Amino acid sequence: MAEAADTGRVTILGRIKEKLIERKEDWAREGRLLTGTHAAPEQRLPPGQRLVRDWPVLDLGVQPDVPLAGFRLDLDGAVERKQSLSWEAFLALPQVESASDIHCVTQWSRYDNHWKGVAVRTLLERAQPKPEAAHVVFHAHDGYTTNVRLDQFDQPDVFLVHQWEGKPIPRQHGGPLRVLIPRLYFWKSAKWIRRIEFVTADRPGFWEVRGYHNNADPWLEERYS
Ligand SMILES: Nc1nc2c(c(=O)[nH]1)N[C@H]1C(S)=C(S)[C@@H](COP(=O)(O)O)O[C@H]1N2
Ligand SMILES: [Mo]
């Protein structure tokens, strides 16, 4: 059942799927889907994964509508120069294309996704994280959060993306803008990104406090903590 709620400029469609969240917490507790094997990064398909051709949608049950007119992306916390970018300002940054694979903790992988967006390193140059900044917390419009170490974020293959296969990323997949960290399980790639917070001490996000692994390397099968 879908329900629309107006939270300022953002419209929320749907309601939080409590049952789905509980089931995934159970899986994490039981270690479901674990094969107990490791793989070298040269091996394209990480252990326990299977290839899909479609692109499954996973969220907490709400898919916020983020109008471009009021769009803001904030970078704040332990940075020298806080940023608050409008959609126009974001698009004025150097735009780059990339291709990468998706690996979801629920065992599906999808090869050769073509993206367009801004390299995270471009944003880091502007925001200038302070020396004590060691972790990053993503805050999304649906209330979702997830965390990575700054050194996992500060990589050449990490982007904030707004196009997939030459078209705007559809709302259900996190449009207008989502994080893309291809070398970690996909739950680290926050959809509907609103704010990137730089922190000195690690702060586990939505799934990380519900039994998911903090580090999330698919080749080490870091599914659950
Ligand atoms: N804002 C937000 N980002 C999110 C999620 C979410 O619920 N909300 N789910 C995560 C999970 S668990 C996965 S697997 C991927 C799914 O992305 P997709 O729906 O585009 O496949 O988004 C991640 N990013
Ligand atoms: Mo996921």
Side-chain angles (χ1 to χ4, degrees):
M1 253 238 267
E3 119 188 331
D6 210 356
T7 58
R9 281 203 199 83
V10 177
T11 315
I12 302 283
L13 194 68
R15 56 179 79 191
I16 297 282
K17 295 175 189 155
E18 303 290 354
K19 281 278 172 297
L20 172 143
I21 293 165
E22 279 168 28
R23 186 161 46 91
K24 287 192 166 176
E25 282 186 275
D26 287 345
W27 284 22
R29 259 193 304 273
E30 294 161 14
R32 275 277 289 277
L33 313 180
L34 284 177
T35 66
T37 53
H38 289 185
E42 309 85 78
Q43 181 184 314
R44 192 169 180 185
L45 193 66
Q49 296 294 109
R50 63 187 164 72
L51 215 47
V52 298
R53 314 223 28 169
D54 57 342
W55 185 7
V57 173
L58 288 106
D59 52 52
L60 305 178
V62 294
Q63 298 179 342
D65 175 31
V66 184
L68 298 184
F71 177 91
R72 283 279 152 183
L73 173 68
D74 293 342
L75 282 78
D76 58 22
V79 294
E80 298 293 351
R81 305 195 320 176
K82 290 186 169 75
Q83 307 284 313
S84 183
L85 301 168
S86 67
W87 188 247
E88 292 70 31
F90 184 80
L91 288 188
L93 298 172
Q95 303 289 313
V96 286
E97 293 182 18
S98 68
S100 55
D101 301 342
I102 297 171
H103 306 296
C104 175
V105 70
T106 59
Q107 277 190 311
W108 59 269
S109 293
R110 192 180 191 287
Y111 287 168
D112 296 318
N113 299 275
H114 297 90
W115 309 96
K116 186 175 177 182
V118 171
V120 157
R121 287 188 165 171
T122 300
L123 294 167
L124 294 178
E125 271 167 33
R126 293 174 62 102
Q128 295 176 19
K130 291 184 176 170
E132 62 269 28
H135 302 268
V136 178
V137 181
F138 304 119
H139 300 263
H141 279 286
D142 59 344
Y144 184 80
T145 58
T146 187
N147 60 310
V148 292
R149 288 194 319 271
L150 181 54
D151 66 275
Q152 294 174 309
F153 190 48
D154 183 5
Q155 292 292 331
D157 61 348
V158 177
F159 300 89
L160 297 197
V161 290
H162 56 87
Q163 279 190 18
W164 175 78
E165 304 303 335
K167 296 195 202 89
I169 295 179
R171 173 174 175 176
Q172 68 266 30
H173 287 298
L177 190 69
R178 75 176 297 161
V179 178
L180 177 68
I181 309 181
R183 280 181 285 167
L184 299 179
Y185 282 124
F186 213 33
W187 87 77
K188 296 286 189 181
S189 293
K191 311 201 279 191
W192 311 292
I193 186 71
R194 169 68 183 86
R195 174 179 175 217
I196 301 173
E197 185 188 6
F198 295 79
V199 292
T200 53
D202 197 8
R203 201 192 303 150
F206 185 89
W207 286 121
E208 290 83 4
V209 300
R210 288 172 176 78
Y212 280 33
H213 202 286
N214 204 44
N215 197 49
D217 183 334
W219 288 274
L220 300 179
E221 229 190 346
E222 293 174 334
R223 298 181 197 272
Y224 312 121
S225 56

